[in-house]
Amino acid sequence: MAHPTVTLTPEQIDELGRELDAIKLRLVNDLGQADRDYIYRVIKAQRALEVAGRAAFYLGFLPPFWLAGVAALSLSKILDNMEIGHNVMHGQYDWMRNPALNSKKFEWDTACPGDQWRHSHNYMHHTFTNILGKDRDIGYGVLRMDESQKWNAYYLGNPLYAFALMVFFQYGVMLHDLEAENLIAGTTKWSDTEELRRGMLQKAGRQTLKDYVLFPALTGPLFLSTLAGNAAANLIRNVWAYSIIFCGHFPSGVATFTQEETENESRGAWYVRQMMGSANITGSRLFHILSGNLSHQIEHHLFPDIPARRYPQIAAEVQALCEKYGLPYNTGRFTKQIGSTWAKIFRLAVPFGRRGQQDTPPAVTVVPENLPAAA
Amino acid sequence: MTAVAPARAGRRKLSPLALFEALATPHGVDRYLELVNPMLTVRDMRAEVTGVNRSTADTVTLTLRPTRQWRGFQAGQFVQVTVEIDGVRRVRCYSPACSQYRDDGRVEITVKAHPEGVVSQYLHANAAPGLIVGLTQADGTFRLPPQRPGKLVFISGGSGVTPVLSMLRTLCDEGYAGDVVFLHYADSEHDVAYRDELCELAAQHDNVRLALAYTAQETGDLHGHFGQEHLDAVAPWHAEAETFLCGPPGLMKSVRALYDAGGLTDRLHVEDFAPAAVPVDDDATGALSFGRSGLSADNSGATLLEQAEAAGLTPEYGCRMGICFSCTKIKTSGCTRNVRTGDIDADPDTEIQLCISVPVGDVTLDL
């Protein structure tokens, strides 16, 4: 079967929407002390790892301490960016009315200014998920991640660009809102980006000052050792964040959508698109926490503003709904998901790249109820 | 060079605090300190509950020890107290009841447990020494003039006693010698949160006369609701005095009416202690749109906060009477009227307080 097709009636899609709305309402009504305690436990762990990591560099001339410092600081940045930053900035904890955990006020330990991220990610990506020409997260304006992106010679460098993006991920995320592809195409003007650039310079400046000037200087003669440790921690966070995020929408079997198919989309159809356009990763509890529960990308895209610790609790229910309606629930081990993502990056570098059979994303066909479901 | 130091005032750049903040970026120093000791803060102000006294069946008096940022208060002013209940921070306004000269620098507030009050019920049931609450600096214009008047009348009802008790205690500490009448209303003597303290003050100071009026008890200095005869009985000279009033809406209304009728409006100083009902506009027109959520509804004439909540939104709010600015949001377009001041605001993209603004015609909010 080259193109697996899911056939649903509009009534079925509405029914699915109602069932998902009911799950969300149940979660919202249950938010409280347990969610508050959870996020504070994670924050406490992150801050403790950060302080421990910074302290370990004072003994950085001893390799085990330097390595421990890198490990602790990497974990700190990973927790800060993923389970705390990404999720807080989604408004998952706005109900707490705590200014320090407010989506509009939170800043994370990375180069990208929070307000720019909220626009490009929370609004653009989460609203127009996987719609070609609208969701700039399909290839982030620099990569070819879908067959429908027209090939040209530039994309021969696809693996190289992906590798560079992985290594410098925090700066890639920062520059995302500049919309480089639109600047090159001339649809936006460089002068229009002045405010964005000022915000980036300020945020990246503060981060650079902290990681590459102040903390190294505070360790005196160990300046270079601490600087290298901080750079290593940033690199490890970059590789980890890139890998988890690329597993969210790029593994084989994830569907993309055209603007025409998503016009006048109902709430139920929006849910269907989120489920078909996202992929999960299986793993241990610690793995899920370190991925910011983006390993539950499907649940996250259904309910981006519900605290992420709730996603594992509802995963079985969401999967059962997918089965009930014949929708795919794309999940797999980390190695499988990231492997198929890199395979896609290489395959789409060339114009004639063919996808394997299991790589073909399913399509949803909406049929009026009175027609028999097509075989 | 991309390493640009954060733009700060030149003088602060070199301070140790600026260094710590540069190291703690982007979270701020307090976000680290609070995990070790919430009372150790650089910028945030908090307070620790050090004393709890449930003096009547439905009130609880808390003694608060503020962090070092506390700048004190003037008798009659209020503070905002933030309490976390089931993970949610709630902000309420309370007027300290202690003297502004209290020598240990602590602040005493009294909370009446209202049947529907999330915060007051919580504090009444759960407040214990060691509880940490958020605190703001004192604010409010309900206070004694710096040049103390020759004669003073205080009128209060229920837990509205706190700001005027603070004034009385402050005056006693100052050795104030002018005539003072303290007229307080309660259902019965069992409902007077500060009865012993008031009686003691009156006993110790010849110039202070205490009159307790009970609305549901036959005994007491006075009986029934406020009226001209009460004032004539205890302070026939009230026209020459300054009067400070705080209590439930019914009491406020009748005292106001009496002073207005007597041409004494300027001599009456009031603190709105319960949110007054906002009159609904009879001729509400237009539609209220919420730009961020894409919702919209016909203007019902109620406040923007109420209309937003009716539309299913949950904007942040605090006092709901226009003093704490918790609910301030951006009005993208349209015209609004401040129901407290009557001011019309027609500027686009301005910050407005949702709880005391009503739409005049079409309005769009960034909400």
Side-chain angles (χ1 to χ4, degrees), chain A residues 218-288:
Chain A
L218 283 174
T219 54
L222 297 173
F223 186 96
L224 286 178
S225 151
T226 306
L227 185 139
N230 291 347
N234 275 315
L235 173 67
I236 291 169
R237 182 272 325 271
N238 284 351
V239 172
W240 177 258
Y242 162 95
S243 303
I244 294 297
I245 288 161
F246 267 53
C247 285
H249 301 288
F250 302 143
S252 65
V254 171
T256 54
F257 303 83
T258 64
Q259 296 188 34
E260 298 77 58
E261 356 175 48
T262 54
E263 263 171 30
N264 305 319
E265 184 179 55
S266 68
R267 178 151 179 85
W270 182 86
Y271 275 135
V272 170
R273 175 158 57 84
Q274 300 303 329
M275 291 195 282
M276 297 185 61
S278 309
N280 282 7
I281 317 168
T282 56
S284 67
R285 181 155 185 263
L286 182 64
F287 175 84
H288 290 312

Side-chain angles (χ1 to χ4, degrees), chain B residues 169-227:
Chain B
R169 285 169 154 177
T170 297
L171 289 167
C172 289
D173 282 353
E174 287 174 353
Y176 177 78
D179 283 333
V180 179
V181 161
F182 197 100
L183 173 55
H184 179 71
Y185 287 82
D187 289 348
S188 77
E189 60 185 11
H190 305 295
D191 300 302
V192 183
Y194 283 99
R195 193 154 58 98
D196 294 347
E197 289 86 346
L198 285 168
C199 292
E200 204 180 312
L201 281 173
Q204 285 169 357
H205 298 87
D206 293 339
N207 58 327
V208 176
R209 176 168 179 198
L210 172 67
L212 293 173
Y214 300 128
T215 50
Q217 180 182 324
E218 292 298 333
T219 56
D221 305 314
L222 293 166
H223 176 69
H225 290 281
F226 174 84

Side-chain angles (χ1 to χ4, degrees), chain A residues 38-48 84 101, chain B residues 35:
Chain A
Y38 172 79
I39 195 66
Y40 265 95
R41 272 203 306 281
V42 177
I43 288 171
K44 215 164 182 169
Q46 180 264 314
R47 305 280 146 94
I84 305 168
L101 295 175
Chain B
L35 301 175

Side-chain angles (χ1 to χ4, degrees), chain B:
Chain B
M1 167 132 179
T2 51
V4 184
R8 287 182 196 280
R11 207 159 48 82
R12 267 181 46 202
K13 212 180 238 175
L14 296 171
S15 77
L17 177 58
L19 174 65
F20 280 119
E21 294 200 320
L23 294 174
T25 193
H27 298 309
V29 177
D30 285 340
R31 300 287 79 77
Y32 292 81
L33 293 178
E34 69 189 5
L35 301 175
V36 180
N37 177 359
M39 288 296 284
L40 196 64
T41 69
V42 171
R43 296 191 179 279
D44 293 358
M45 189 159 70
R46 300 196 184 95
E48 181 187 2
V49 174
T50 57
V52 178
N53 178 26
R54 292 174 177 83
S55 54
T56 71
D58 61 356
T59 61
V60 59
T61 298
L62 306 177
T63 309
L64 305 177
R65 179 175 67 86
T67 49
R68 58 180 182 82
Q69 295 85 353
W70 174 245
R71 295 197 295 262
F73 72 103
Q74 289 184 47
Q77 290 190 304
F78 65 86
V79 294
Q80 291 173 45
V81 175
T82 304
V83 188
E84 203 175 88
I85 303 168
D86 196 19
V88 182
R89 289 196 178 186
R90 314 263 179 185
V91 185
R92 294 294 184 270
C93 299
Y94 297 107
S95 304
C98 53
S99 163
Q100 69 186 51
Y101 303 115
R102 187 176 162 132
D103 49 17
D104 62 3
R106 297 188 184 185
V107 183
E108 178 187 306
I109 60 169
T110 290
V111 180
K112 181 178 185 206
H114 294 280
E116 305 289 318
V118 175
V119 175
S120 61
Q121 289 285 354
Y122 175 85
L123 287 175
H124 187 257
N126 300 299
L131 176 73
I132 306 289
V133 298
L135 186 70
T136 63
Q137 298 291 356
D139 199 1
T141 55
F142 185 65
R143 46 185 191 220
L144 294 163
Q147 186 71 48
R148 306 306 193 207
K151 289 179 177 178
L152 283 160
V153 177
F154 296 111
I155 307 173
S156 61
S159 57
V161 67
T162 53
V164 284
L165 174 61
S166 174
M167 288 177 176
L168 179 64
R169 285 169 154 177
T170 297
L171 289 167
C172 289
D173 282 353
E174 287 174 353
Y176 177 78
D179 283 333
V180 179
V181 161
F182 197 100
L183 173 55
H184 179 71
Y185 287 82
D187 289 348
S188 77
E189 60 185 11
H190 305 295
D191 300 302
V192 183
Y194 283 99
R195 193 154 58 98
D196 294 347
E197 289 86 346
L198 285 168
C199 292
E200 204 180 312
L201 281 173
Q204 285 169 357
H205 298 87
D206 293 339
N207 58 327
V208 176
R209 176 168 179 198
L210 172 67
L212 293 173
Y214 300 128
T215 50
Q217 180 182 324
E218 292 298 333
T219 56
D221 305 314
L222 293 166
H223 176 69
H225 290 281
F226 174 84
Q228 177 80 50
E229 66 288 358
H230 281 189
L231 208 49
D232 289 343
V234 295
W237 39 261
H238 68 271
E240 316 149 33
E242 298 292 327
T243 298
F244 288 82
L245 163 69
C246 182
L251 176 66
M252 305 282 285
K253 200 177 154 195
S254 38
V255 177
R256 266 194 180 119
L258 198 146
Y259 274 71
D260 287 348
L264 298 171
T265 311
D266 292 346
R267 289 189 174 267
L268 180 65
H269 312 275
V270 300
E271 177 75 318
D272 278 309
F273 133 92
V278 175
V280 170
D281 260 7
D282 287 329
D283 49 352
T285 56
L288 181 56
S289 311
F290 304 96
R292 197 183 288 260
S293 53
L295 298 170
S296 83
D298 284 342
N299 173 19
S300 69
T303 64
L304 295 173
L305 182 57
E306 286 167 336
Q307 297 200 48
E309 287 170 343
L313 299 171
T314 53
E316 185 185 353
Y317 68 87
C319 65
R320 300 185 80 105
M321 55 192 284
I323 52 180
C324 76
F325 296 90
S326 296
C327 65
T328 299
K329 286 280 181 296
I330 304 277
K331 178 192 64 179
T332 322
S333 67
C335 181
T336 55
R337 183 168 57 83
N338 181 317
V339 294
R340 287 274 168 269
T341 64
D343 289 347
I344 298 283
D345 185 316
D347 292 344
D349 292 311
T350 46
E351 286 197 334
I352 50 160
Q353 292 170 269
L354 300 185
C355 67
I356 52 161
S357 302
V358 293
V360 181
D362 291 345
V363 169
T364 302
L365 295 175
D366 184 30
L367 191 67

